[in-house]
C-alpha cells in the first residue's frame, strides 16, 4: 500500500483526478461550545486567530491530541500541521515529555523560587548554542521580546526601535505598530490602547529594502537602540530573506552602535538547535525564544552575551521579573523536548521529510498549472496562492489571494487535515508525521487544490 502511494505521490507526481467535493464536517458540539464561550470571552476566544474569522465555519474545540493527530469535540480526526503554532516539534502528547512533566507535577506546580530544572534547561541550551552566553527565562514570547527591547534600550541609552512591516513580535505596546504612510516613518498604532507616544519610538520599514534602512540610520543618527527582525519572518506568510540582506542588517547596526535582535520565538530550535542564527551563520546581539523550549508549556526566554546580560536585574539596572519565570513544569517539558532534539540526525531527518513533502506538492501544482507556491525552510511551510517565485516583503502578498486559502482550508478540514485558520499563517511538519500520514495528507491536499481551482473563489 505504501509503495503504491509513494509511486502515486512521490518524486514523479502526475496529475490525478479529484475525488470531488466533500461534505462539511459536523461541528455541532464545537458550535455549542463556541456560543457558550462568547458569553465568557471577547469573541469567544482567548487569542484572536482562533475565532476562525478568516475561514469558513465556527472554531473547532479540540478534545485531545496524540502524535500528529487532533480530535475535536465532535469526534472529527485531523492530521495536524498547526502543531500548536509551532511548539510541538515532536508531535502531541510525546511520551518522554509526558513522563518528565508528570514527575515534576508530583513535586509541585510552582514555587516562585529557583529550582535545579532551570539550571538543567539553561545548560542544555547554552552548551549547544554558540550564539548566547547567558539566558533569562520568562513566560511567553511576547514577554521575551518586550524584555529584549528594554535591554537594548538600557545598554545603548537610546530609545528608538526599528522593526519591519510583516514581522510580528508579540503584543507589547512598543511593537504592536504598523507602517506609516511613507517609506520610512514612525509606526502608527495598530491597536486601540497603544499610546501614540509609544508608537512614535518605533520606526517601521519594508523588509528586503536596503535603502529604507540606510535612510533610517541617516535620519535618526545615534537614536536607534536596536533593529529587530524575526529569525525568518513567519507570522505574516513565510518571508524568507536572503543571507546577504541579513548580513547587511548585521553590518549596518554595528556601524551605527545599535543592536540587532533576532526574534526566534518560531525559528528557535525549529530550523536547527541554534535556529536562524546558525541558518544564516550570523551573530545577533540578543535572541528571543519561546514555543519549542517549553515542550508545549507556556515559556519564553531571551539570551545574549554575558556582557549584555549583566545589565539585567539583579546584576544591573534593567529590571525584569516574573512569578512564573522558570516554572518547574515548563522547564521539565523543555528539558525532555530539547533532549530529544539533540539525538543524532534529528534535524536532518525532519527537514528532509518536510522538504520531500512540500516538494511533492509543488510538483503537483506545477503539473496542474495552479497559481500557488509552497514556500518552505526546514520544517516550516506556507501555502501562497500566487505565481511569484519569491515573496520577501509583506507588501508582495495579495490580500485577495486569501479567498483561495479560505476555500482551501474548508476543503482540507473536510478531508481531515488541520492547518491554521488564516492564510497568513505557516504550517509545520513534526517528527510525529510518519510517511504514511504525509502521503495521506498529500492526497487530501491534491484533492482540495483540485476542488478550489475547479470552483475559483470570487476575488
Amino acid at each position: 500500500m505504501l509503495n503504491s502511494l509513494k509511486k502515486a505521490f512521490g518524486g514523479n507526481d502526475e496529475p490525478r483526478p479529484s475525488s470531488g467535493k466533500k461534505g462539511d464536517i459536523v461541528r455541532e458540539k464545537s458550535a455549542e461550545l463556541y456560543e457558550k464561550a462568547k458569553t465568557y470571552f471577547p469573541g469567544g476566544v482567548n487569542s484572536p486567530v482562533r475565532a476562525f474569522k478568516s475561514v469558513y465555519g465556527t472554531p473547532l474545540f479540540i478534545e485531545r491530541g496524540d502524535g500528529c493527530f487532533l480530535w475535536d469535540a465532535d469526534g472529527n480526526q485531523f492530521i495536524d500541521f498547526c502543531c500548536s503554532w509551532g511548539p510541538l516539534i515532536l508531535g502531541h502528547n510525546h511520551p518522554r515529555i509526558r513522563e518528565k512533566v508528570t514527575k515534576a507535577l508530583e513535586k509541585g506546580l510552582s514555587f516562585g523560587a529557583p529550582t535545579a530544572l532551570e539550571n538543567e534547561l539553561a545548560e542544555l541550551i547554552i552548551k549547544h548554542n554558540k550564539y548566547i552566553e547567558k539566558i533569562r527565562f520568562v513566560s511567553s514570547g511576547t514577554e521575551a521580546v518586550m524584555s529584549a527591547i528594554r535591554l537594548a534600550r538600557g545598554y545603548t541609552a537610546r530609545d528608538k526601535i526599528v522593526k519591519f512591516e510583516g514581522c510580528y513580535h508579540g503584543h507589547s505596546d512598543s511593537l504592536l505598530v504598523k507602517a506609516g504612510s511613507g517609506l520610512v516613518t514612525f509606526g502608527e498604532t495598530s491597536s486601540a490602547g497603544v499610546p501614540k507616544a509609544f508608537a512614535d519610538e518605533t520606526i517601521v520599514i519594508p523588509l528586503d529594502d536596503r535603502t529604507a534602512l540606510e535612510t533610517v540610520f541617516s535620519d535618526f543618527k545615534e537614536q536607534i537602540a536596536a533593529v529587530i527582525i524575526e529569525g525568518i519572518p513567519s507570522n505574516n506568510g513565510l518571508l524568507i530573506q536572503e543571507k546577504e540582506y541579513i548580513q547587511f542588517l548585521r553590518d549596518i547596526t554595528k556601524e551605527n552602535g545599535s543592536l540587532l535582535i533576532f526574534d526566534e520565538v518560531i525559528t528557535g530550535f525549529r530550523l536547527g538547535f541554534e535556529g536562524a542564527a546558525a541558518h544564516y551563520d550570523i551573530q545577533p546581539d540578543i535572541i528571543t525564544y519561546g514555543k519549542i523550549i517549553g515542550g508545549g508549556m507556556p515559556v519564553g526566554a531571551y539570551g545574549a552575551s554575558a556582557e549584555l546580560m549583566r545589565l539585567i536585574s539583579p546584576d544591573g539596572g534593567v529590571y525584569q521579573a516574573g512569578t512564573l519565570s522558570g516554572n518547574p513544569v515548563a522547564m521539565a517539558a523543555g528539558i525532555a523536548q530539547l533532549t530529544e532534539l539533540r539525538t543524532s540526525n534529528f534535524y536532518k531527518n525532519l527537514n528532509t521529510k518536510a522538504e520531500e513533502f512540500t516538494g511533492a506538492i509543488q510538483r503537483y501544482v506545477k503539473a496542474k498549472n495552479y497559481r500557488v507556491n509552497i514556500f518552505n525552510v526546514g520544517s516550516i511551510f506556507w501555502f501562497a496562492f500566487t505565481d511569484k517565485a519569491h515573496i520577501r516583503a509583506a507588501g508582495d502578498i495579495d490580500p485577495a489571494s486569501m479567498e483561495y486559502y479560505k476555500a482551501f482550508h474548508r476543503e482540507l478540514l473536510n478531508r481531515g487535515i488541520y492547518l491554521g485558520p488564516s492564510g497568513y499563517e505557516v504550517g509545520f511538519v513534526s517528527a510525529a508525521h510518519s510517511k504514511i500520514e504525509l502521503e495521506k495528507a498529500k492526497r487530501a491536499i491534491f484533492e482540495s487544490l483540485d476542488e478550489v481551482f475547479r470552483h475559483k473563489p470570487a476575488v
Side-chain angles (χ1 to χ4, degrees), residues 162 164 205 209-217 227 248-249 252:
V162 177
F164 297 94
I205 61 174
D209 188 330
R210 298 190 182 205
T211 300
L213 197 58
E214 288 170 340
T215 302
V216 163
F217 277 103
V227 173
F248 169 70
L249 299 185
I252 198 170

Side-chain angles (χ1 to χ4, degrees), residues 69-296:
F69 296 106
L70 283 176
W71 288 264
D72 69 11
D74 290 280
N76 298 305
Q77 179 180 330
F78 305 95
I79 298 174
D80 178 28
F81 290 102
C82 184
C83 299
S84 191
W85 306 101
L88 305 183
I89 194 169
L90 300 179
H92 295 273
N93 199 25
H94 191 275
R96 289 189 177 86
I97 297 176
R98 187 175 63 245
E99 179 184 2
K100 189 82 172 178
V101 165
T102 300
K103 288 182 178 179
L105 286 170
E106 290 172 351
K107 297 179 180 180
L109 299 179
S110 178
F111 310 116
T115 70
L117 293 170
E118 295 168 74
N119 289 0
E120 188 176 348
L121 182 55
E123 181 178 9
L124 184 56
I125 292 171
I126 293 170
K127 185 178 179 181
H128 303 288
N129 187 337
K130 68 183 179 183
Y131 297 96
I132 58 173
E133 294 176 337
K134 284 194 174 184
I135 196 167
R136 171 64 70 85
F137 290 119
V138 292
S139 296
S140 70
T142 290
E143 191 180 347
V145 173
M146 178 184 71
S147 303
I149 294 295
R150 185 178 299 158
L151 173 58
R153 285 172 166 157
Y155 180 79
T156 61
R158 300 174 178 180
D159 293 335
K160 299 196 186 303
I161 301 296
V162 177
K163 74 176 290 286
F164 297 94
E165 189 177 2
C167 284
Y168 176 72
H169 303 289
H171 61 268
S172 64
D173 286 350
S174 294
L175 295 167
L176 201 59
V177 298
K178 60 185 178 181
S181 58
L183 178 64
V184 179
T185 69
F186 291 118
E188 298 176 353
T189 58
S190 57
S191 169
V194 175
K196 184 179 184 300
F198 283 41
D200 282 349
E201 297 299 343
T202 304
I203 302 165
V204 186
I205 61 174
L207 278 162
D208 196 34
D209 188 330
R210 298 190 182 205
T211 300
L213 197 58
E214 288 170 340
T215 302
V216 163
F217 277 103
S218 175
D219 289 352
F220 303 101
K221 210 167 188 65
E222 298 183 357
Q223 297 180 59
I224 297 170
V227 173
I228 183 168
I229 187 171
E230 290 182 65
I232 293 176
S234 311
N235 272 290
N236 191 75
L238 186 60
L239 309 177
I240 302 169
Q241 305 299 299
E242 295 180 296
K243 179 177 179 178
E244 292 77 12
Y245 180 68
I246 303 301
Q247 184 63 58
F248 169 70
L249 299 185
R250 175 65 289 180
D251 293 341
I252 198 170
T253 48
K254 275 189 176 179
E255 290 166 7
N256 288 274
S258 303
L259 301 187
L260 177 62
I261 302 173
F262 276 11
D263 177 350
E264 296 225 45
V265 170
I266 289 180
T267 53
F269 306 91
R270 168 59 70 172
L271 304 180
F273 205 84
E274 294 175 307
H279 176 79
Y280 288 116
D281 190 24
I282 289 174
Q283 173 73 65
D285 295 294
I286 308 174
I287 308 178
T288 66
Y289 298 114
K291 298 188 184 291
I292 283 175
I293 62 170

Side-chain angles (χ1 to χ4, degrees), residues 225-409:
V227 173
I228 183 168
I229 187 171
E230 290 182 65
I232 293 176
S234 311
N235 272 290
N236 191 75
L238 186 60
L239 309 177
I240 302 169
Q241 305 299 299
E242 295 180 296
K243 179 177 179 178
E244 292 77 12
Y245 180 68
I246 303 301
Q247 184 63 58
F248 169 70
L249 299 185
R250 175 65 289 180
D251 293 341
I252 198 170
T253 48
K254 275 189 176 179
E255 290 166 7
N256 288 274
S258 303
L259 301 187
L260 177 62
I261 302 173
F262 276 11
D263 177 350
E264 296 225 45
V265 170
I266 289 180
T267 53
F269 306 91
R270 168 59 70 172
L271 304 180
F273 205 84
E274 294 175 307
H279 176 79
Y280 288 116
D281 190 24
I282 289 174
Q283 173 73 65
D285 295 294
I286 308 174
I287 308 178
T288 66
Y289 298 114
K291 298 188 184 291
I292 283 175
I293 62 170
M297 297 296 293
V299 74
Y302 59 105
S305 65
E307 177 193 358
L308 266 173
M309 295 300 282
R310 67 178 173 79
L311 270 69
I312 301 295
S313 179
D315 286 349
V318 177
Y319 192 76
Q320 179 267 311
T323 299
L324 295 178
S325 296
N327 174 266
V329 181
M331 297 295 99
I335 291 165
Q337 177 144 284
L338 266 58
T339 299
E340 290 296 308
L341 304 190
R342 288 294 306 157
T343 57
S344 179
N345 292 323
F346 175 86
Y347 287 105
K348 179 182 178 182
N349 295 337
L350 176 64
N351 293 344
T352 297
K353 180 166 59 175
E355 287 161 10
E356 289 174 352
F357 174 66
T358 56
I361 300 169
Q362 189 64 60
R363 290 191 294 273
Y364 184 82
V365 299
K366 184 178 180 181
K368 286 278 193 169
N369 201 30
Y370 291 154
R371 191 171 182 267
V372 59
N373 273 305
I374 301 89
F375 298 104
N376 82 288
V377 58
S379 57
I380 308 173
F381 64 91
W382 176 51
F383 284 94
F385 288 84
T386 180
D387 53 12
K388 294 178 180 177
H390 305 285
I391 297 182
R392 294 197 174 96
D396 293 335
I397 303 173
D398 180 7
S401 69
M402 294 302 147
E403 289 300 314
Y404 281 85
Y405 184 83
K406 185 176 181 180
F408 182 52
H409 187 267

